[in-house]
Amino acid sequence: MKSENSSANIAQPKAVRADKALSATVAFWFLIAVIGQWIFVYYVTFFYGSAAVKGDFEKWNEVLPHGYIPGETMGNLAVALHIVLAIIIIVGGPLQFIPQIRIHARTFHRWNGRIYIFTALLIGVDGLYMIWTRGNIGGLVGQVSVSINAFLIMFFAIMSWRTAVARDFDKHRRWALRLFLASNGVWFFRIGLMFWLFVNGGPVGFDPETFRGPFLVFLGFGQFLVPLAILELYLRVQDRSGTSGKIAMTTLLFFLTIMTGIGIFAATMGMWLPRI
């Protein structure tokens, strides 16, 4: 009897440590990701905003092919709206997952959440309009992948809203996490691309001139499917796995955090800072 109790007492601290390690690693990834997202939003605001203030809208085409086409008022407005909505989502999204805000600033959390969900719905519709009227440098495959991402964003936004209204906060958290990852697909694409270029020392698996190739096909769908798959694995481990499963998940997330950090560094130094 004493032996059984001793085993239980030893196992319990291990389980607690595994839970704490997993939570700490998730928080570490979130911190690194938010820093990278806010660097990106600063770049987007400065690059597109300064060009707009100067009236040099054609500068947008340096980064966004067909971003500005003289005479196409509706299309240009759609691009401008998309940029503004992206800034709102990237700034406001992470604030929804900070416990101190959620607990001590509930009114802000609720209103920021409403704005976030409404913005996600708008950006999904606007993104579909842009991708099928302005095209995509990835061709038809790029249009299809971005369209799937847009539909997922809108679906996750609706489910986040429905579960919040129903006060099913556990499910609401899960749908909100899915929405957060899906709505950052463009950001994941950029840091994923720059990580790939960094570790390979140049373009591998695609032609940099045409911007076509198997790696970009993978990245086009992987920009939202990979983060979502990792989230579902994390949620499953959190719900059902024992100590060993949580340790394995912690290890995986740690390496993914390092990869995320490298991608952010490479994108900042090679893509964003040079244009600011």
Side-chain angles (χ1 to χ4, degrees), residues 23 75 84 102 142 165 219:
S23 298
V84 173
R102 190 170 63 249
V165 171
L219 192 59

Side-chain angles (χ1 to χ4, degrees), residues 97-167:
F97 301 100
I98 298 175
Q100 291 81 358
I101 293 177
R102 190 170 63 249
I103 295 171
H104 301 294
R106 294 182 180 179
T107 300
F108 173 82
H109 177 76
R110 285 194 294 268
W111 279 102
N112 187 55
R114 290 164 183 160
I115 293 170
Y116 185 68
I117 288 173
F118 180 67
T119 302
L121 290 170
L122 282 181
I123 206 170
V125 173
D126 188 61
L128 287 171
Y129 176 81
M130 283 176 53
I131 204 68
W132 291 103
T133 59
R134 291 291 176 96
N136 182 276
I137 56 175
L140 181 60
V141 172
Q143 289 175 300
V144 171
S145 65
V146 172
S147 297
I148 294 173
N149 193 13
F151 281 118
L152 286 175
I153 289 171
M154 291 187 287
F155 175 67
F156 294 156
I158 291 169
M159 294 305 297
S160 296
W161 174 264
R162 289 184 61 182
T163 49
V165 171
R167 303 185 68 80

Side-chain angles (χ1 to χ4, degrees), residues 41 44-45 82-92:
V41 82
V44 169
T45 303
H82 198 78
I83 293 168
V84 173
L85 295 175
I87 292 170
I88 294 172
I89 276 190
I90 296 172
V91 172

Side-chain angles (χ1 to χ4, degrees), residues 48 57 60-61 64-69 75-77 79-80 130 134:
Y48 290 98
F57 292 99
W60 291 2
N61 296 328
L64 190 64
H66 312 299
Y68 177 79
I69 300 176
N76 294 332
L77 286 174
V79 173
M130 283 176 53
R134 291 291 176 96

